[in-house]
Amino acid sequence: MGLVRVLLPLPRAAARLGPGAGRRLLGAALTRCVAPGWVLLRPPPPWRRLAWAEEATAVYRALAERKGARPRDRDLLARSLVWHAYTLVLVNRCEQACTVLDASSAVPGARWPPAQRALHLHLRAQAQFGLARPDDALVSAGECVAAYRRLVLTRRDRTLGTLPGALRTYALVLAALNRTEESVAAYEECAGLLRDMSLREVSHAILVRVRVLCELTAGLVALGRHEEALSVGREARDAADPIMLRIAPEVVRPLRVRLFADLARCLAATGDRSAARTTAEESVTEARTLADRDRTAGGLLLILALDCLADRLGELGHRNAELGCRQEAVDLCATLVAERPDTHGSLLAVCLERLADCHTAAGDRGEAVRAGERAVAAYRRAAEFDPMVHEPQLARVLEDLSRLRLDDGDLEGAVGAARETVALTRRLAESDWSAHQAVTARRLRVLGRALRRVGDHGAAVACYAESESILVDEAAGPEAGLYAASLAAARSGLALALDEQARAHLADGRADDAVAALRALLSLTRRTGRTDVHARCVTAFADARAEYPDAVVSAWTRVTGQDFPTFVYRSSGAGAGAVGGDPEPGGN
């Protein structure tokens, strides 16, 4: 291919002298320059290959549209349009690539060899994937894999793609659709085919091999198959060696960044934390080199690598070093957001969340609150661009912010954040109740806790009672076990809130209101088997009688028509932890 590029002026001159044979010679030379070449030869820049592809298409179109055109000229025009689409995919102009592929299919009378048809399907799948149309891409990729399975490629057809390359695209699309197990199975088949190839055969697919092994490692990590991921990852590391890095740095270096991060996670999961830290540091080093050359793409990978290294440092208890990594990631992400707020705003919010967690672990509550407030602001901006995706995330960080403010002593701020997260979650639940029902119950408990701390006991009781009601409805279904812990937390919180409400009413001289709270607490005790709720009830009744005997006893008698209970007990027929008693509260 290199020699053909050097000699291009000759076929161009021939095309001017001989419109028929000369143009065919020029078209063949340009197509040869566009097609993939020997892997050890550095390919020309994509924009130059695009220019050659456009020139080749123009040459073949002139041949196919002139009078007396041969059928072969229409075949070559269709083929050149496929290569034109190939170069458009290379420069990420996927919409144009789809248009050109449609034009290639529309060439009248053109014959389509099976290998060319398979490449056409492969490019369509890649273009649809680049346009964020994974469902369409999956259909095209599946057809492409089936087409290559039927093929027996000749040496001449090798540039038109192979089954491993098609399987890799198919696996990539499956991964984007969160069909991870199917994706890993496709990657494993692809890796097996590559391992069975001869040295000569694999030399034409060596970059595919590097990609497949690195992406298979990531898929195995996602499935929690860490031992297998380590084995494949070491093979991928050997494949993405410094020689390949020198040959194709724009492809191999990003793969190495992600690969080292995945290997670090595997090593940490299998207990080798020291090696995990070392490997994570290698990922950061590779990402810094990339960021020096491409600030945006390299910066995003550097953020990923810093996050991985921070996790490893946190596991080792190196809080200051972890904090430094997370702060660097936040600063770098803030720089990217200044350039593209619509694209990188949510990433900044994630980095700020993790920075807040790091400050919390270090005991610096004030800094944790400030990082949490910045995360909320970042998600607010992100929600302006894509509310469907980012409003649930905004509700989540508001919940976290309420907890942080409460722990830092900012009670009013905690209530404000909790009220907002509940309101936002209610709105989300209107469109998808099943996805947000348990979340609504949890955030009501967060609001109830904050309201208790500011002394608004009535509102706190209402929050806990609504949380319990939601969870009781859910626990009545086939998945009751999923809600048991949440329901227990709601009832424990409700018991505490009712106890505090009764005490507050008694302190303010509102004995009738205190009796209502105590009766609600006794009712709660009798509908749950939790020992802590029973203990809270026993203590509340005993303390009320001891501290306000005249007021609470007379109010109880007046409201219920019965004596104030001297003992709140379990029935003898109740099992361990169960609470029983008379149908109505009475004396003993």
Side-chain angles (χ1 to χ4, degrees):
M1 185 175 71
L3 181 61
V4 175
R5 293 205 306 264
V6 172
L7 298 177
L8 266 180
L10 295 179
R12 285 195 176 110
R16 288 193 296 270
L17 296 173
R23 284 179 178 173
R24 292 189 186 92
L25 177 62
L26 175 59
L30 290 166
T31 302
R32 181 67 182 275
C33 292
V34 168
W38 181 249
V39 70
L40 295 178
L41 294 178
R42 184 180 291 275
W47 59 267
R48 184 172 293 174
R49 296 170 84 173
L50 176 60
W52 288 332
E54 291 171 342
E55 185 180 355
T57 298
V59 167
Y60 283 125
R61 192 181 300 280
L63 285 169
E65 293 177 353
R66 68 175 186 158
K67 289 185 179 180
R70 302 176 184 178
R72 174 66 175 161
D73 293 333
R74 290 190 290 273
D75 299 343
L76 293 172
L77 174 58
R79 186 185 180 102
S80 71
L81 285 166
V82 172
W83 284 118
H84 186 191
Y86 167 77
T87 57
L88 287 166
V89 171
L90 285 180
V91 297
N92 203 32
R93 289 160 60 177
C94 297
E95 191 70 52
Q96 289 177 264
C98 288
T99 302
V100 171
L101 288 170
D102 291 338
S104 69
S105 299
V107 175
R111 292 167 293 183
W112 283 78
Q116 182 175 316
R117 177 70 65 185
L119 177 61
H120 183 278
L121 288 167
H122 195 178
L123 292 172
R124 186 173 293 280
Q126 290 179 326
Q128 289 167 336
F129 184 71
L131 291 170
R133 291 160 49 190
D135 293 318
D136 294 335
L138 185 64
V139 174
S140 298
E143 293 175 357
C144 168
V145 168
Y148 276 114
R149 288 192 194 280
R150 295 190 296 267
L151 275 178
V152 178
L153 288 175
T154 65
R155 184 174 181 180
R156 181 180 179 183
D157 291 333
R158 195 173 290 122
T159 58
L160 296 175
T162 59
L163 177 57
L167 277 168
R168 184 253 169 180
T169 299
Y170 184 57
L172 195 65
V173 177
L174 285 168
L177 290 168
N178 294 320
R179 293 165 60 174
T180 309
E181 291 188 3
E182 296 172 79
S183 173
V184 166
Y187 275 125
E188 287 177 326
E189 181 185 356
C190 185
L193 291 172
L194 291 165
R195 292 186 187 107
D196 292 339
M197 285 183 172
S198 67
L199 183 61
R200 179 179 59 82
E201 289 173 328
V202 82
S203 66
H204 293 277
I206 195 165
L207 283 177
V208 173
R209 178 171 177 263
V210 175
R211 286 187 172 109
V212 165
L213 291 172
C214 291
E215 291 162 5
L216 174 56
T217 302
L220 290 168
V221 172
L223 292 177
R225 293 159 56 180
H226 296 112
E227 294 290 350
E228 295 173 74
L230 279 175
S231 177
V232 175
R234 292 185 182 107
E235 186 181 358
R237 183 169 189 151
D238 292 339
D241 60 12
I243 295 175
M244 286 303 304
L245 184 59
R246 200 169 295 116
I247 293 169
E250 70 285 350
V251 173
V252 176
R253 196 177 296 280
L255 290 173
R256 282 168 64 91
V257 174
R258 295 182 183 275
L259 174 64
F260 292 158
D262 288 331
L263 285 173
R265 294 186 185 95
C266 289
L267 289 165
T270 55
D272 194 348
R273 293 183 175 180
S274 178
R277 173 182 176 170
T278 301
T279 308
E281 288 171 344
E282 290 184 271
S283 178
V284 170
T285 300
E286 291 284 353
R288 289 194 195 282
T289 302
L290 190 61
D292 290 340
R293 300 178 182 179
D294 185 341
R295 185 173 64 175
T296 300
L300 292 172
L301 286 173
L302 180 55
I303 291 168
L304 178 148
L306 286 166
D307 182 64
C308 178
L309 178 56
D311 287 342
R312 307 291 76 79
L313 291 167
E315 290 166 353
L316 292 168
H318 300 163
R319 293 297 176 196
N320 289 336
E322 179 193 1
L323 184 59
C325 286
R326 298 213 184 275
Q327 187 62 60
E328 182 181 356
V330 166
D331 294 341
L332 179 57
C333 199
T335 302
L336 297 176
V337 168
E339 299 173 358
R340 292 289 305 275
D342 57 329
T343 304
H344 305 307
S346 59
L347 179 59
L348 174 60
V350 171
C351 291
L352 286 164
E353 280 187 82
R354 293 176 181 170
L355 178 62
D357 291 341
C358 187
H359 282 303
T360 301
D364 193 341
R365 294 177 178 175
E367 288 297 329
V369 168
R370 281 186 280 277
E373 289 170 343
R374 290 181 63 193
V376 167
Y379 271 127
R380 286 194 202 282
R381 290 191 295 269
E384 293 175 2
F385 295 103
D386 193 345
M388 186 175 295
V389 171
H390 298 302
E391 280 191 345
Q393 297 168 329
L394 173 59
R396 175 173 51 77
V397 295
L398 281 165
E399 177 186 351
D400 293 340
L401 179 60
S402 177
R403 291 193 179 98
L404 290 171
R405 283 175 170 170
L406 198 62
D407 292 343
D408 194 44
D410 181 5
L411 303 185
E412 293 298 334
V415 170
R419 286 191 190 282
E420 186 175 358
T421 190
V422 168
L424 186 51
T425 308
R426 287 191 197 281
R427 192 170 75 244
L428 293 169
E430 289 175 1
S431 58
D432 189 356
W433 174 245
S434 62
H436 297 284
Q437 51 196 353
V439 179
T440 303
R442 186 183 72 236
R443 289 172 182 162
L444 281 165
R445 297 197 300 275
V446 172
L447 176 57
R449 181 185 175 207
L451 289 167
R452 278 184 37 239
R453 292 280 297 275
V454 298
D456 192 348
H457 303 295
V461 167
C463 287
Y464 283 115
E466 184 180 355
S467 178
E468 183 199 20
S469 176
I470 292 171
L471 293 167
V472 166
D473 290 342
E474 293 308 308
E479 298 181 342
L482 296 177
Y483 302 99
S486 297
L487 181 56
R491 284 172 167 166
S492 295
L494 178 56
L496 181 59
L498 287 168
D499 182 13
E500 292 177 346
Q501 184 182 40
R503 293 173 189 272
H505 286 324
L506 287 170
D508 292 340
R510 299 197 300 272
D512 288 359
D513 292 335
V515 167
L518 289 171
R519 295 185 75 193
L521 179 56
L522 187 56
S523 175
L524 172 63
T525 302
R526 288 173 171 167
R527 67 175 180 265
T528 181
R530 292 195 57 80
T531 301
D532 62 314
V533 174
H534 179 70
R536 178 72 57 185
C537 181
V538 170
T539 303
F541 272 81
D543 288 350
R545 187 182 184 94
E547 296 176 22
Y548 304 94
D550 296 334
V552 74
V553 169
S554 60
W556 186 277
T557 303
R558 184 173 61 256
V559 171
T560 66
Q562 298 179 4
D563 294 335
F564 187 81
T566 58
F567 182 62
V568 181
Y569 58 91
R570 301 172 187 272
S571 65
S572 59
V579 175
D582 294 331
E584 291 293 334
N588 186 6

